[in-house]
Amino acid sequence: MKQRILAILLSLTMMFTLVPTAMAEGETAVAKVGDVEYETLQAAINAATAGQTVKLVANTAEDIKISADKDITLDLGNSKLTNKSGDTITVEKGGKLSISDSVGTGVVDNTSHGKGAIVNSGEVTLNGGTFKRSAEKGTYSPYVNGGNSWYTIANYGTMEINTGVTVENAGGYSSMIRNGGDVTADCNLTIEGGNFAGGVNTVKNDSFGVLTINGGNFSNTAQYVIMNWNKAEITAGTFQTLDTASAVLFTSTYGNDANTVGKLTISGGEFKHASDTQEMIVDHYDESNSGAAAVTGGRFDADISKYIPSDYVQSADGTVEKLGESNAVAKVGDTYYKTLAEAVAAANNATVTLLKDVTANVTIPADETITLNLNGMTLTNVDDHTILNNGNLTITGTGRVDNISHAKGALYNKGTVVINGGTFDRSQENGMNKGESGQNSWYTIKNVGTMTINDGATVQTAGNNAARGKFSSLVSNGYFNTNDYNTNKGLDQPILTIDGGTFRGGLNTIKNDDRARLTINGGTFSNYYPVSYTHLRAHETD
């Protein structure tokens, strides 16, 4: 009987040692699992079973480990978890940890050199809390660790960071978040939101790192906001350098490391640099190590056109988007182009339609036949003839072809041109009389090929301002002299046929010069002198 009673007592004793009990009177609770309180956070974590939440209810200094058999949630409450001497939270391979912050003031801190606030080899989800290294002393220039520096977060497993999370690191010696490196398998870090400020690089995606950023606010203290050595994708977020930084983004392979590919893709986000001396994207470590960046979206306050595919464009406000009716310069059929030159090059035996006002010098090659539809837009030169035609060109639609440079025309034809529409002008024409050019004067149209002008076309000068445009003729057909013939020869005997249109301004409205043939079948002609006339010098004139 005594033996039986003793066995029962031993069994009860063992049971009570396995079951958590309320703390003794006078002890201070640090954490809770349900209603059961624990003197240390680690004790509460050890006691928690799969799916349970451990709530931090008081500040504590501990080095926490989440073992491979754990799958729990840690609620930081309104408390602060600081390390003793190691990593503040270590998640072992196989372990699963979700961190929340129900009050909104929870903190995970690390104060030791070479240690982090979270080091993860398992699966971690951060839904709230502030994670930092408050004693960080590293500096970038000079590049010293200050006796206390490391990553705030190091991920060697799988991690997701969501809106409501703040990650901080005051130093410029170490990156703030490291993903990958020192491992032999892919490390996946997904950032959906949050605020991230600090580190020589805010996020360093190392070898084996697979980084996805879908939101959040990022800024660094020294080198790059995002440093990528492997695979990184950005779809949203804001990325801002400070004055001491080198560039916003970096991507590169490294040496013969097969685990780094240096591939960065960007489809959204806003990217800003603090000064023009900083680069937006650096795509190489050195001459023998380079990466790849492909941008199909986002807004950048610097020119990143070299990283944009041919069917995308960076608009005036820095936004990168797919080429289409609203942002392309021109189209040929259903294909859109960033520049008029690209459209012209692709348009043999086709129509180029302008989609916006363009500033460019355009040359039609001798072997091309195209139609240019002005489509209500304005084409203005840069520093040469606005259109130099050596091929077969037809101009249609309403719109303007303007030239603003001295001794250059809106249209210079050496090939064959048919003009069915448009207004041709030299809006900055400043010729005052036949002896004073005003430092900006020339013909609006010069023809040394074959040209036909029909109803719908308007040719003028000086924006139709009667006070200017009195030094040069409006339209010149043929060669001024032997030197003009030898230097600018098109046809041996240029042909101009005017079947309609409106012609106003110039010293002479129409000037038919040496070797040229002119036929006028219709049209309205006027100039700015008391007598409007056509100046005829050719041997054959109809």
Side-chain angles (χ1 to χ4, degrees):
M1 184 68 177
K2 289 182 179 179
Q3 290 179 340
R4 186 177 179 184
I5 293 172
L6 180 60
I8 292 172
L9 290 173
L10 286 172
S11 297
L12 290 172
T13 300
M14 291 178 65
M15 290 176 60
F16 282 118
T17 60
L18 295 175
V19 176
T21 59
M23 295 175 57
E25 185 176 350
E27 293 179 333
T28 302
V30 167
K32 295 170 57 176
V33 179
D35 294 329
V36 181
E37 298 180 332
Y38 295 87
E39 189 176 1
T40 67
L41 176 57
Q42 187 67 64
I45 289 171
N46 292 343
T49 58
Q52 286 192 307
T53 296
V54 177
K55 185 172 184 178
L56 190 63
V57 295
N59 296 342
T60 185
E62 302 179 45
D63 298 339
I64 299 299
K65 292 190 183 300
I66 308 298
S67 59
D69 61 342
K70 290 296 177 182
D71 182 0
I72 63 170
T73 296
L74 171 61
D75 180 0
L76 297 176
N78 64 346
S79 302
K80 180 178 181 180
L81 169 62
T82 306
N83 74 311
K84 281 188 174 180
S85 59
D87 300 311
T88 312
I89 299 177
T90 301
V91 181
E92 297 179 345
K93 185 177 181 180
K96 297 181 180 180
L97 173 65
S98 176
I99 299 181
S100 61
D101 185 13
S102 59
V103 178
T105 56
V107 175
V108 178
D109 190 14
N110 191 286
T111 60
S112 300
H113 177 61
K115 304 298 179 180
I118 298 180
V119 177
N120 172 50
S121 297
E123 297 181 29
V124 169
T125 302
L126 303 182
N127 293 315
T130 295
F131 303 84
K132 61 183 180 179
R133 283 183 39 82
S134 62
E136 173 76 33
K137 295 180 180 178
T139 60
Y140 177 65
S141 182
Y143 197 55
V144 295
N145 64 33
N148 193 330
S149 187
W150 210 61
Y151 315 107
T152 301
I153 294 176
N155 178 53
Y156 306 118
T158 299
M159 179 177 288
E160 179 178 307
I161 302 176
N162 295 307
T163 302
V165 172
T166 296
V167 184
E168 301 173 352
N169 191 336
Y173 179 82
S174 297
S175 298
M176 186 167 70
I177 300 175
R178 184 192 195 192
N179 183 48
D182 302 332
V183 290
T184 58
D186 282 351
C187 304
N188 294 280
L189 172 61
T190 301
I191 300 176
E192 299 290 349
N195 295 295
F196 308 87
V200 63
N201 307 291
T202 310
V203 181
K204 177 184 180 183
N205 194 48
D206 220 326
S207 56
F208 286 106
V210 180
L211 171 66
T212 303
I213 299 177
N214 298 321
N217 304 303
F218 302 81
S219 62
N220 68 335
T221 57
Q223 285 182 318
Y224 312 108
V225 180
I226 306 297
M227 172 184 264
N228 175 52
W229 292 104
N230 194 38
K231 300 175 185 176
E233 178 181 4
I234 299 173
T235 67
T238 60
F239 305 82
Q240 171 74 63
T241 60
L242 302 181
D243 289 332
T244 53
S246 301
V248 181
L249 304 167
F250 169 93
T251 185
S252 182
T253 58
Y254 184 74
N256 296 318
D257 187 352
N259 305 310
T260 66
V261 298
K263 182 179 180 181
L264 172 64
T265 60
I266 301 171
S267 59
E270 186 162 354
F271 304 83
K272 299 179 180 181
H273 56 352
S275 71
D276 291 338
T277 60
Q278 298 171 350
E279 296 184 70
M280 180 58 66
I281 300 175
V282 174
D283 62 357
H284 59 280
Y285 174 68
D286 54 27
E287 291 184 358
S288 59
N289 292 276
S290 61
V295 181
T296 58
R299 186 167 64 183
F300 301 77
D301 66 353
D303 179 11
I304 46 89
S305 55
K306 66 178 287 189
Y307 303 107
I308 300 174
S310 60
D311 54 345
Y312 283 77
V313 67
Q314 185 177 16
S315 61
D317 70 351
T319 300
V320 175
E321 54 193 357
K322 184 84 170 177
L323 273 172
E325 199 79 16
S326 64
N327 56 25
V329 167
K331 69 177 180 179
V332 179
D334 294 328
T335 303
Y336 297 91
Y337 295 90
K338 311 178 185 186
T339 68
L340 182 54
E342 291 173 332
V344 168
N348 199 20
N349 293 311
T351 297
V352 175
T353 302
L354 290 183
L355 298 175
K356 61 172 59 176
D357 294 345
V358 180
T359 300
N361 307 325
V362 180
T363 298
I364 311 301
D367 58 348
E368 280 202 12
T369 298
I370 73 167
T371 296
L372 175 61
N373 181 0
L374 298 175
N375 194 33
M377 305 301 166
T378 297
L379 171 60
T380 307
N381 76 307
V382 177
D383 55 7
D384 207 334
H385 303 297
T386 311
I387 300 176
L388 172 59
N389 177 54
N390 297 308
N392 295 287
L393 172 64
T394 300
I395 300 175
T396 65
T398 61
R400 296 173 57 83
V401 179
D402 191 14
N403 192 285
I404 59 174
S405 300
H406 180 58
K408 304 298 179 182
L411 173 60
Y412 194 129
N413 176 49
K414 292 185 176 183
T416 300
V417 168
V418 177
I419 302 176
N420 293 322
T423 296
F424 297 79
D425 199 355
R426 293 193 76 262
S427 62
Q428 302 303 308
E429 170 72 36
N430 199 33
M432 305 308 295
N433 54 61
K434 68 178 183 177
E436 176 55 57
S437 70
Q439 289 78 52
N440 193 335
S441 189
W442 211 60
Y443 316 111
T444 299
I445 291 178
K446 169 80 170 177
N447 177 55
V448 293
T450 299
M451 178 179 291
T452 302
I453 303 177
N454 296 312
D455 278 335
T458 297
V459 185
Q460 63 186 35
T461 188
N464 201 30
N465 184 335
R468 296 181 282 118
K470 300 177 180 180
F471 179 81
S472 296
S473 296
L474 183 70
V475 177
S476 172
N477 184 44
Y479 302 101
F480 180 73
N481 54 29
T482 300
N483 182 63
D484 188 20
Y485 174 78
N486 292 332
T487 304
N488 302 308
K489 183 179 177 181
L491 285 181
D492 187 65
Q493 293 184 317
I495 300 171
L496 172 61
T497 302
I498 300 176
D499 288 329
T502 301
F503 303 82
R504 52 199 185 197
L507 175 67
N508 306 293
T509 310
I510 308 295
K511 179 185 179 185
N512 196 52
D513 227 325
D514 288 352
R515 296 177 175 266
R517 177 169 180 167
L518 170 67
T519 301
I520 299 177
N521 298 317
T524 302
F525 305 83
S526 62
N527 73 346
Y528 302 143
Y529 281 82
V531 178
S532 174
Y533 64 94
T534 297
H535 184 62
L536 308 175
R537 293 181 59 190
H539 298 294
E540 297 184 73
T541 303
D542 296 330

